[in-house]
Amino acid sequence: MTSTNDTGAVAGPASGRTSHPHRFRGLVATGFIATLVAMAATTLAAALAQAVGVGFEVSDGGETIPLSGFAVVTGFFSVVGIVIAVALLRWSARPAERFLWTAVSLTAISLVPPLLSGADTATITALLGLHLVAAAVMIPTLTRSLRTRVASHPD
């Protein structure tokens, strides 16, 4: 004999939202396009900085950051931002606001390593600027995308 018991609570999305897979796909697609733009922008900005004499030497041993390194690191951390945005869209009642706060906080934290790198002033300044270039592409794009998805699928 089979019986059902509907008295148990079931965990689900924040605020009782139902799952909307296309919301996630759209956010991820927007995020990946923004990632490509951020990678291109930081690499171009780094190339311009090199053209005006910034060496991007980050240690006393003379290690120089290659241009491809800017694209790879920007791409990696941009994807981390997309993952955070998707998680917040899934589990937060206010994903855009939470993402904005989280992303700005993480950007501020990301400014510390260049300051501790032991590089010259020009390199530190350029590295700080490159962090801000990537943030200026990713944060508004993902925040706007989150707001659009929440507004188009109200609870």
XYZ file of all heavy atoms in Angstrom, residues 33-98:
464
model
N 29.597 37.038 -22.521
C 29.891 38.127 -23.466
C 30.645 39.237 -22.739
O 31.653 39.748 -23.243
C 28.598 38.648 -24.122
C 28.022 37.579 -25.048
C 28.853 39.954 -24.873
C 26.605 37.842 -25.504
N 30.182 39.593 -21.551
C 30.877 40.624 -20.761
C 32.293 40.170 -20.411
O 33.225 40.986 -20.395
C 30.087 40.937 -19.496
N 32.465 38.879 -20.148
C 33.799 38.345 -19.844
C 34.741 38.554 -21.019
O 35.886 38.996 -20.842
C 33.709 36.849 -19.476
O 32.936 36.712 -18.279
C 35.089 36.231 -19.278
N 34.268 38.252 -22.219
C 35.106 38.457 -23.413
C 35.458 39.932 -23.589
O 36.598 40.276 -23.918
C 34.401 37.911 -24.651
C 34.203 36.394 -24.688
C 33.360 35.999 -25.908
C 35.545 35.669 -24.691
N 34.493 40.808 -23.344
C 34.749 42.252 -23.441
C 35.760 42.677 -22.378
O 36.708 43.432 -22.669
C 33.435 43.060 -23.318
C 33.708 44.551 -23.192
C 32.521 42.769 -24.502
N 35.588 42.192 -21.146
C 36.520 42.541 -20.066
C 37.923 42.031 -20.365
O 38.913 42.738 -20.123
C 36.020 41.981 -18.736
N 38.025 40.810 -20.894
C 39.337 40.261 -21.245
C 40.011 41.111 -22.315
O 41.203 41.435 -22.206
C 39.187 38.815 -21.726
C 38.797 37.836 -20.638
S 38.310 36.210 -21.267
C 39.864 35.631 -21.954
N 39.252 41.479 -23.337
C 39.811 42.311 -24.410
C 40.200 43.686 -23.884
O 41.282 44.213 -24.216
C 38.803 42.436 -25.550
N 39.341 44.271 -23.051
C 39.614 45.620 -22.534
C 40.849 45.641 -21.643
O 41.693 46.546 -21.766
C 38.396 46.143 -21.767
N 40.976 44.660 -20.751
C 42.152 44.663 -19.865
C 43.433 44.364 -20.639
O 44.475 44.969 -20.361
C 42.002 43.662 -18.701
O 41.733 42.367 -19.217
C 40.917 44.091 -17.743
N 43.342 43.474 -21.605
C 44.534 43.162 -22.398
C 44.956 44.361 -23.238
O 46.146 44.689 -23.321
C 44.285 41.925 -23.288
O 43.887 40.830 -22.446
C 45.533 41.531 -24.054
N 43.987 45.034 -23.828
C 44.284 46.242 -24.605
C 44.860 47.333 -23.707
O 45.858 47.978 -24.060
C 43.028 46.751 -25.310
C 43.195 48.036 -26.117
C 44.216 47.857 -27.239
C 41.849 48.479 -26.685
N 44.259 47.533 -22.545
C 44.764 48.548 -21.612
C 46.177 48.199 -21.146
O 47.034 49.085 -21.022
C 43.823 48.688 -20.420
N 46.443 46.918 -20.904
C 47.794 46.499 -20.511
C 48.787 46.729 -21.644
O 49.922 47.175 -21.410
C 47.791 45.033 -20.087
N 48.375 46.448 -22.866
C 49.249 46.682 -24.024
C 49.557 48.175 -24.174
O 50.705 48.555 -24.459
C 48.601 46.137 -25.291
N 48.543 49.001 -23.960
C 48.769 50.455 -24.032
C 49.702 50.914 -22.914
O 50.578 51.753 -23.137
C 47.440 51.201 -23.955
C 46.522 51.048 -25.175
C 45.154 51.668 -24.895
C 47.170 51.674 -26.404
N 49.525 50.340 -21.731
C 50.413 50.693 -20.614
C 51.851 50.277 -20.925
O 52.793 51.038 -20.662
C 49.931 50.029 -19.322
N 52.029 49.102 -21.510
C 53.373 48.666 -21.905
C 53.949 49.600 -22.959
O 55.139 49.916 -22.920
C 53.347 47.236 -22.452
C 53.365 46.181 -21.396
C 53.472 44.775 -21.979
O 53.134 44.536 -23.138
N 53.943 43.854 -21.169
N 53.123 50.048 -23.880
C 53.588 50.930 -24.949
C 54.098 52.258 -24.411
O 54.977 52.877 -25.028
C 52.472 51.169 -25.966
N 53.579 52.689 -23.260
C 54.055 53.948 -22.685
C 55.103 53.722 -21.598
O 55.470 54.654 -20.881
C 52.901 54.829 -22.149
C 51.965 55.231 -23.273
C 52.146 54.159 -21.020
N 55.582 52.476 -21.492
C 56.727 52.226 -20.621
C 56.486 51.473 -19.326
O 57.415 51.283 -18.545
N 55.259 51.016 -19.059
C 55.019 50.235 -17.845
C 55.586 48.842 -18.070
O 55.271 48.175 -19.060
C 53.518 50.167 -17.501
C 53.278 49.282 -16.287
C 52.958 51.562 -17.268
N 56.442 48.391 -17.142
C 57.127 47.121 -17.320
C 56.385 45.909 -16.815
O 56.682 44.789 -17.203
N 55.439 46.075 -15.932
C 54.693 44.980 -15.315
C 55.597 43.946 -14.666
O 55.305 42.761 -14.662
C 53.727 44.321 -16.312
C 52.566 45.199 -16.670
C 52.411 45.662 -17.964
C 51.634 45.573 -15.721
C 51.349 46.485 -18.307
C 50.572 46.395 -16.052
C 50.421 46.848 -17.350
N 56.721 44.421 -14.106
C 57.581 43.555 -13.302
C 57.030 43.566 -11.892
O 56.888 44.620 -11.277
C 59.021 44.062 -13.316
C 59.706 43.874 -14.647
C 61.148 44.343 -14.620
O 61.702 44.596 -13.526
O 61.723 44.473 -15.708
N 56.714 42.370 -11.362
C 56.031 42.311 -10.073
C 56.888 41.771 -8.932
O 56.405 41.615 -7.829
C 54.730 41.485 -10.158
C 53.710 42.200 -11.008
C 55.007 40.098 -10.685
N 58.134 41.479 -9.206
C 58.986 41.036 -8.107
C 60.399 41.544 -8.344
O 60.754 41.978 -9.430
C 58.977 39.508 -8.003
O 59.603 38.936 -9.133
N 61.203 41.466 -7.287
C 62.590 41.907 -7.414
C 63.367 41.042 -8.392
O 64.381 41.459 -8.922
C 63.269 41.888 -6.037
C 62.683 42.948 -5.120
O 62.213 43.984 -5.639
O 62.694 42.737 -3.894
N 62.878 39.834 -8.651
C 63.536 38.928 -9.592
C 63.290 39.292 -11.038
O 63.843 38.671 -11.933
N 62.461 40.280 -11.267
C 62.238 40.747 -12.628
C 61.168 39.989 -13.392
O 61.114 40.082 -14.611
N 60.300 39.217 -12.725
C 59.224 38.527 -13.427
C 58.263 39.543 -14.022
O 57.788 40.438 -13.339
C 58.442 37.631 -12.463
C 58.984 36.230 -12.350
C 58.079 35.376 -11.488
O 56.911 35.178 -11.866
O 58.563 34.932 -10.454
N 57.987 39.393 -15.302
C 57.092 40.306 -15.994
C 55.796 39.576 -16.330
O 55.821 38.445 -16.815
C 57.745 40.816 -17.297
O 58.970 41.472 -16.953
C 56.836 41.776 -18.026
N 54.674 40.230 -16.093
C 53.380 39.641 -16.427
C 53.197 39.725 -17.941
O 53.258 40.811 -18.515
C 52.227 40.398 -15.737
C 52.415 40.403 -14.222
C 50.880 39.777 -16.115
C 51.446 41.315 -13.484
N 52.970 38.589 -18.609
C 52.730 38.635 -20.057
C 51.325 39.147 -20.352
O 50.422 39.039 -19.510
C 52.872 37.174 -20.488
C 52.519 36.382 -19.269
C 52.963 37.223 -18.087
N 51.114 39.695 -21.534
C 49.791 40.198 -21.900
C 48.731 39.106 -21.806
O 47.613 39.363 -21.365
C 49.806 40.788 -23.309
C 50.475 42.150 -23.459
C 50.439 42.606 -24.908
C 49.804 43.180 -22.566
N 49.078 37.898 -22.192
C 48.103 36.804 -22.112
C 47.675 36.545 -20.670
O 46.551 36.106 -20.417
C 48.675 35.530 -22.723
O 49.842 35.125 -22.016
N 48.553 36.832 -19.728
C 48.223 36.654 -18.321
C 47.076 37.544 -17.879
O 46.244 37.141 -17.055
N 46.997 38.739 -18.432
C 45.899 39.643 -18.079
C 44.567 39.071 -18.559
O 43.567 39.119 -17.845
C 46.132 41.039 -18.663
C 47.330 41.715 -18.073
C 48.507 41.837 -18.789
C 47.285 42.212 -16.777
C 49.622 42.444 -18.236
C 48.392 42.823 -16.214
C 49.560 42.936 -16.947
N 44.564 38.518 -19.769
C 43.335 37.932 -20.311
C 42.901 36.714 -19.496
O 41.724 36.576 -19.154
C 43.539 37.544 -21.773
N 43.850 35.860 -19.161
C 43.522 34.641 -18.422
C 42.972 34.965 -17.033
O 41.930 34.435 -16.619
C 44.756 33.715 -18.324
C 44.520 32.576 -17.346
C 45.121 33.180 -19.697
N 43.643 35.825 -16.308
C 43.205 36.158 -14.950
C 41.863 36.899 -14.986
O 40.962 36.614 -14.186
C 44.287 36.969 -14.205
C 43.775 37.493 -12.879
C 45.516 36.094 -13.989
N 41.704 37.809 -15.927
C 40.428 38.512 -16.062
C 39.314 37.524 -16.380
O 38.232 37.584 -15.787
C 40.505 39.594 -17.159
O 41.520 40.536 -16.812
C 39.170 40.305 -17.340
N 39.576 36.612 -17.292
C 38.574 35.609 -17.652
C 38.195 34.730 -16.474
O 37.009 34.497 -16.215
N 39.183 34.275 -15.731
C 38.921 33.403 -14.590
C 38.048 34.096 -13.554
O 37.009 33.566 -13.131
C 40.233 32.932 -13.951
C 39.999 32.117 -12.711
C 39.643 30.783 -12.805
C 40.100 32.693 -11.460
C 39.400 30.031 -11.663
C 39.864 31.954 -10.308
C 39.514 30.612 -10.411
N 38.444 35.285 -13.144
C 37.695 35.966 -12.092
C 36.349 36.502 -12.581
O 35.408 36.640 -11.799
C 38.545 37.038 -11.411
C 39.554 36.422 -10.493
C 40.896 36.372 -10.845
C 39.167 35.840 -9.302
C 41.833 35.771 -10.011
C 40.082 35.228 -8.460
C 41.424 35.193 -8.810
N 36.228 36.757 -13.863
C 34.928 37.136 -14.417
C 33.966 35.953 -14.359
O 32.781 36.122 -14.036
C 35.084 37.635 -15.856
O 35.831 38.833 -15.883
N 34.467 34.759 -14.650
C 33.631 33.561 -14.545
C 33.228 33.321 -13.085
O 32.092 32.940 -12.804
C 34.336 32.331 -15.165
C 33.601 31.044 -14.831
C 34.439 32.508 -16.678
N 34.131 33.577 -12.160
C 33.774 33.488 -10.738
C 32.614 34.452 -10.444
O 31.660 34.101 -9.740
C 34.987 33.782 -9.830
C 34.571 33.954 -8.381
C 36.029 32.674 -9.956
N 32.668 35.649 -11.002
C 31.585 36.613 -10.826
C 30.269 36.109 -11.399
O 29.203 36.309 -10.796
N 30.327 35.447 -12.541
C 29.115 34.879 -13.141
C 28.530 33.810 -12.218
O 27.313 33.767 -11.994
C 29.409 34.288 -14.537
C 29.837 35.383 -15.510
C 28.188 33.541 -15.075
C 30.428 34.859 -16.809
N 29.378 32.964 -11.675
C 28.916 31.913 -10.763
C 28.243 32.534 -9.535
O 27.174 32.081 -9.097
C 30.080 30.982 -10.361
C 29.686 30.039 -9.239
C 30.574 30.194 -11.570
N 28.840 33.575 -8.998
C 28.237 34.272 -7.848
C 26.879 34.846 -8.243
O 25.896 34.721 -7.500
C 29.178 35.371 -7.313
C 30.416 34.733 -6.674
C 28.456 36.281 -6.321
C 31.523 35.724 -6.359
N 26.794 35.473 -9.417
C 25.533 36.064 -9.874
C 24.455 34.995 -10.049
O 23.305 35.194 -9.631
C 25.754 36.824 -11.183
N 24.811 33.872 -10.643
C 23.843 32.780 -10.826
C 23.374 32.254 -9.474
O 22.176 32.029 -9.260
C 24.444 31.650 -11.695
C 23.589 30.393 -11.636
C 24.598 32.119 -13.133
N 24.303 32.066 -8.546
C 23.933 31.573 -7.211
C 22.993 32.560 -6.517
O 21.999 32.150 -5.901
C 25.190 31.344 -6.370
N 23.277 33.825 -6.633
C 22.414 34.827 -6.001
C 21.045 34.888 -6.674
O 20.023 35.056 -5.999
C 23.090 36.196 -5.996
C 24.276 36.307 -5.039
C 25.034 37.602 -5.275
C 23.822 36.193 -3.597
N 21.015 34.737 -7.989
C 19.729 34.704 -8.694
C 18.893 33.516 -8.212
O 17.695 33.617 -8.046
C 19.938 34.634 -10.209
C 18.671 34.633 -11.073
C 17.851 35.899 -10.845
C 19.044 34.490 -12.544
N 19.556 32.431 -7.951
C 18.863 31.219 -7.504
C 18.412 31.309 -6.052
O 17.305 30.893 -5.720
C 19.797 30.013 -7.701
C 19.294 28.700 -7.127
C 18.138 28.162 -7.961
N 17.761 26.838 -7.546
C 16.795 26.574 -6.660
N 16.134 27.551 -6.099
N 16.509 25.326 -6.345
N 19.260 31.833 -5.172
C 18.996 31.703 -3.753
C 18.755 33.006 -2.988
O 18.469 32.959 -1.801
C 20.125 30.926 -3.079
C 20.096 29.482 -3.459
C 19.097 28.591 -3.219
C 21.101 28.757 -4.151
N 19.419 27.355 -3.720
C 20.653 27.430 -4.304
C 22.351 29.109 -4.670
C 21.401 26.453 -4.938
C 23.092 28.131 -5.299
C 22.621 26.811 -5.430
N 18.860 34.131 -3.623
C 18.668 35.392 -2.906
C 17.351 36.051 -3.297
O 16.962 36.027 -4.469
C 19.825 36.358 -3.200
O 19.584 37.607 -2.596
N 16.708 36.661 -2.343
C 15.487 37.410 -2.625
C 15.812 38.730 -3.336
O 14.964 39.286 -4.025
C 14.736 37.692 -1.330
N 17.026 39.229 -3.168
C 17.468 40.486 -3.789
C 18.821 40.270 -4.470
O 19.843 40.793 -4.032
C 17.566 41.578 -2.730
C 16.215 41.902 -2.113
C 16.265 42.938 -1.020
N 17.454 43.762 -1.041
C 17.982 44.332 0.029
N 17.444 44.163 1.199
N 19.048 45.079 -0.067
N 18.845 39.506 -5.560
C 20.130 39.124 -6.153
C 20.959 40.286 -6.697
O 22.179 40.290 -6.548
C 19.746 38.151 -7.264
C 18.328 38.468 -7.575
C 17.720 38.935 -6.290
N 20.338 41.266 -7.323
C 21.107 42.373 -7.904
C 21.807 43.182 -6.824
O 22.992 43.508 -6.954
C 20.199 43.275 -8.741
N 21.084 43.491 -5.756
C 21.679 44.275 -4.675
C 22.796 43.487 -3.979
O 23.844 44.033 -3.669
C 20.607 44.676 -3.656
C 19.604 45.666 -4.201
C 18.515 45.035 -5.075
O 18.407 43.778 -5.121
O 17.787 45.784 -5.734
N 22.546 42.210 -3.737
C 23.571 41.367 -3.090
C 24.798 41.218 -3.983
O 25.924 41.250 -3.523
C 23.013 39.980 -2.760
C 21.843 39.992 -1.824
C 22.292 40.163 -0.397
N 21.143 39.995 0.475
C 20.737 40.896 1.344
N 21.395 42.021 1.479
N 19.691 40.672 2.092
